[in-house]
Amino acid sequence: MTKLVLGIETSCDDTSIALVDQQGNVAAIETVSQYEVHSDFGGVYPELASRAHLEAILPAIEIVIERANIDPQDLRAIGVTRGPGLMGSLLVGLSTAQALGLAWDVPTYGINHLRGHIRSVDLEKRRLRFPALILLVSGGHTLLAFCKDQNSFDLLGTTRDDSVGECYDKVARTLGLGMPGGPIIDKIAALGTPSIMFPRPMKKSGYEFSFSGLKSSVARYVETNKDFDANDVAASFVQACLDVLSTKVLRAIEQVQPETLCVVGGVAASAQVRACMKAICDDTNVTLCLPPQKWATDNAAMIAMATWDYISQGINTDLEPKPNLHLGVA
Ligand code: KG4
Ligand code: ZN
């Protein structure tokens, strides 16, 4: 019988449970989103997030076990996000995983959410090859890293302030477009013309990012141009983001000469980000590794996928929540 890992992801505002085999096939997944819980707050309200996880987690686990028709005692392992993320939300996943691991007598691993995003490219089909340049663009993170092999995670640069995803969400709010902002901006940007020259913060040097100035510049433009065209603002904003991201990715490709470029995190669901990174890879003869679009945003399948790495590499982690966990620590 094919062995499965049960993945549990509760680091932010999605309760996600998945069963995944070592080849990356997703046998079952159930994701409960909290958009409605937080919509009045314009962002994730931590106290409400942990309560919502608590309500959703056990029914979601029951659903995937029933769907895949398995005996939980046959699981190869449980993998649960231990960080980074919101303390209360992480605790719900970790304590549930610990209890089930004991009850079912199944080994349980605490998994780094960022490593889960990287392994999202292996869902449905194994794609990742080393050395790999990683561009992680999500709501919580924006970073470039170099992985010489599967055990090395060298951070090249991260953001000094907002992440790209956060910036997409805030621009959507500035334009009165609601939540979730990223996909809406991505969609309307394709309808507009990038005619407004927004700033390209920190484009000229290094691998660090800064997006808060760009976000403020969009807000100022909207404030002073009452008859603005939302599609053109979105297109110009996306163009500025892509200009910064692609310049830094090209710089890193020249420096580290990777075999693959791996673009992950929620913003990697963007059609325009995917097209831009494909163009770079076509020009540089680097193989592009993208997660299937539906697995770019937070999900438990990627956490299960990373768990297979921990198992095969004999990585042992504890089940303590680590809200500020870095990429370099399993
Ligand atoms: O990876 P993720 O689900 O959560 C974190 O780990 O942070 O990323 C969420 C972010 C949000 O900012 C969301 O607006 C953005 O990813 N996002 C997108 C798209 N889908 C989600 N941004 C641009 N285009 C999309 N299609
Ligand atoms: Zn994430």
Side-chain angles (χ1 to χ4, degrees), residues 113 117 138 298 302:
H113 179 85
H117 272 302
S138 71
D298 285 355
M302 68 186 199

Side-chain angles (χ1 to χ4, degrees), residues 295-309:
W295 305 122
T297 48
D298 285 355
N299 65 82
M302 68 186 199
I303 301 302
M305 208 57 228
T307 310
W308 283 109
D309 277 356

Side-chain angles (χ1 to χ4, degrees), residues 113 117 138-141 165-166 168-169 180-183 186 265-267 269-270 296-298:
H113 179 85
H117 272 302
S138 71
H141 294 84
E166 207 175 342
Y168 268 72
D169 295 337
D186 188 42
V267 183
S270 152
T297 48
D298 285 355

Side-chain angles (χ1 to χ4, degrees), residues 15-314:
T15 315
S16 184
I17 309 293
L19 288 165
V20 180
D21 72 15
Q22 196 163 9
Q23 280 65 51
N25 302 304
V26 183
I29 182 155
E30 176 70 8
T31 300
V32 183
S33 155
Q34 299 181 5
Y35 280 134
E36 281 175 17
V37 177
H38 305 289
S39 57
D40 288 347
F41 300 96
V44 178
Y45 192 87
E47 172 101 355
L48 293 179
S50 30
R51 280 167 191 254
H53 284 306
L54 209 49
E55 272 176 34
I57 194 162
L58 287 177
I61 290 171
E62 273 177 34
I63 287 171
V64 294
I65 285 176
E66 215 173 279
R67 248 183 235 154
N69 192 23
I70 56 148
D71 180 342
Q73 292 183 341
D74 292 334
L75 287 171
R76 174 64 185 81
I78 299 172
V80 55
T81 302
R82 68 175 187 139
L86 300 169
M87 176 61 109
S89 295
L90 292 168
L91 267 172
V92 175
L94 284 159
S95 48
T96 305
Q98 192 165 23
L100 294 178
L102 283 171
W104 295 336
D105 194 21
V106 170
T108 304
Y109 295 79
I111 304 295
N112 184 325
H113 179 85
L114 306 178
R115 295 196 183 185
H117 272 302
I118 294 174
R119 277 295 170 189
S120 67
V121 303
D122 279 341
L123 289 166
E124 296 173 9
K125 181 183 154 196
R126 287 275 187 178
R127 297 174 179 85
L128 188 53
R129 286 200 310 279
F130 300 96
L133 176 67
I134 312 290
L135 174 67
L136 195 161
V137 276
S138 71
H141 294 84
T142 297
L143 60 84
L144 265 171
F146 178 55
C147 298
K148 188 165 42 69
D149 52 47
Q150 60 175 1
N151 299 309
S152 76
F153 294 87
D154 294 333
L155 190 64
L156 299 175
T158 182
T159 180
R160 292 185 172 184
D161 40 57
D162 292 355
S163 68
V164 188
E166 207 175 342
C167 206
Y168 268 72
D169 295 337
K170 286 179 180 164
V171 166
R173 214 173 309 147
T174 299
L175 295 173
L177 298 171
M179 278 172 74
I184 304 175
I185 291 288
D186 188 42
K187 210 164 156 187
I188 68 164
L191 308 172
T193 310
S195 49
I196 310 153
M197 191 59 193
F198 290 127
R200 271 75 168 146
M202 303 186 72
K203 175 184 156 180
K204 293 218 168 79
S205 62
Y207 298 119
E208 291 207 303
F209 300 93
S210 165
F211 289 99
S212 75
L214 171 58
K215 169 195 72 187
S216 310
S217 177
V218 174
R220 267 196 309 278
Y221 180 88
V222 167
E223 185 67 33
T224 50
N225 295 274
K226 295 292 178 204
D227 57 347
F228 68 86
D229 180 310
N231 295 351
D232 289 350
V233 173
S236 307
F237 160 73
V238 167
Q239 188 72 37
C241 289
L242 291 182
D243 194 3
V244 172
L245 293 174
S246 58
T247 303
K248 294 197 186 248
V249 165
L250 270 169
R251 188 174 292 142
I253 287 178
E254 264 175 37
Q255 188 192 325
V256 305
Q257 304 279 319
E259 183 171 339
T260 57
L261 168 66
C262 179
V263 185
V264 296
V267 183
S270 152
Q272 292 177 79
V273 168
R274 295 168 86 90
C276 169
M277 295 300 152
K278 181 174 183 312
I280 290 178
C281 286
D282 288 348
D283 283 352
T284 52
N285 270 329
V286 170
T287 305
L288 180 60
C289 280
L290 290 168
Q293 203 166 16
K294 67 177 171 182
W295 305 122
T297 48
D298 285 355
N299 65 82
M302 68 186 199
I303 301 302
M305 208 57 228
T307 310
W308 283 109
D309 277 356
Y310 285 47
I311 295 169
S312 62
Q313 292 168 40

